[in-house]
Amino acid sequence: GDVLLVASGESFTIDFGRVMAGFELIELEALKGVELALDFLETPELAHSHELYISGGGRRRFRSFNLNSFRFLRVSARGGNVKLFRPRAIFSSYPVLWRGAFTCSDASLNSTWEIGRYVTQICMQTCHLDSPLHQEELGCTGDYLIEAAINYVCFGETALAAADIERTARL
């Protein structure tokens, strides 16, 4: 259903169906001071980041503060029970249109195209990233070149590539 109860000392994992870049949006009800721990995971075993929410009491809305890469969200309660109402994820990417297309008789190549397009999209935020959460500290011109080419074929977007060139020139 749309309401989940997480008992104090327990945890619950939500599967969003695929890895995404985004923010968690939770509406919850708990007593004041109850802690709600959020673990963002791309696989059931590997947490990439962790956020802690301390309830102000009553029914409240919480949006994660940082961009996260996750498929699974593990929610843990401590100090009291937490009632969750329709936990949601807010997808984040650079605004693009899916323009390019590829199909052939080989299903594995069609799948590779779809996965590559999606992964490229979630790695496009305010700049090209190496992953939805990571960029080399000094930048990586080779990665930018490859990503810009894939981006152009899939989406026809050129502004991020222009920004990559400018950033590389300044480095």
Side-chain angles (χ1 to χ4, degrees):
D2 288 345
V3 179
L4 305 169
L5 180 64
V6 183
S8 184
E10 300 292 324
S11 63
F12 182 84
T13 300
I14 301 163
D15 182 352
F16 288 98
R18 73 189 306 184
V19 173
M20 70 174 73
F23 302 88
E24 184 58 39
L25 179 63
I26 293 177
E27 189 171 342
L28 60 95
E29 188 175 304
L31 296 174
K32 185 174 183 172
V34 172
E35 295 180 3
L36 185 69
L38 305 174
D39 292 309
F40 296 89
L41 308 100
E42 287 186 354
T43 68
E45 304 83 28
L46 182 62
H48 283 285
S49 59
H50 175 84
E51 291 187 18
L52 181 66
Y53 172 84
I54 300 174
S55 174
R59 192 162 172 166
R60 308 275 178 119
R61 241 188 207 172
F62 168 78
R63 179 185 178 265
S64 57
F65 297 110
N66 300 307
L67 177 68
N68 288 290
S69 175
F70 62 99
R71 173 179 172 165
F72 302 95
L73 177 70
R74 186 173 49 231
V75 180
S76 306
R78 193 170 78 185
N81 298 337
V82 176
K83 200 182 286 187
L84 300 176
F85 302 88
R86 280 190 58 226
R88 301 182 294 285
I90 303 168
F91 179 80
S92 176
S93 85
Y94 192 82
V96 294
L97 296 174
W98 286 20
R99 294 187 173 148
F102 174 85
T103 57
C104 72
S105 60
D106 186 333
S108 65
L109 290 177
N110 293 333
S111 178
T112 299
W113 162 263
E114 293 298 327
I115 291 167
R117 176 175 58 185
Y118 180 73
V119 168
T120 299
Q121 181 179 359
I122 65 175
C123 290
M124 295 168 61
Q125 297 296 326
T126 56
C127 59
H128 284 124
L129 300 174
D130 297 323
S131 78
L133 299 178
H134 175 262
Q135 182 183 47
E136 298 295 332
E137 290 183 21
L138 293 176
C140 186
T141 305
D143 287 353
Y144 299 155
L145 174 64
I146 294 165
E147 199 165 359
I150 296 168
N151 165 2
Y152 188 74
V153 169
C154 294
F155 311 114
E157 200 286 319
T158 59
L160 288 182
D164 293 339
I165 292 167
E166 183 179 327
R167 183 174 48 255
T168 300
R170 283 186 285 171
L171 292 173

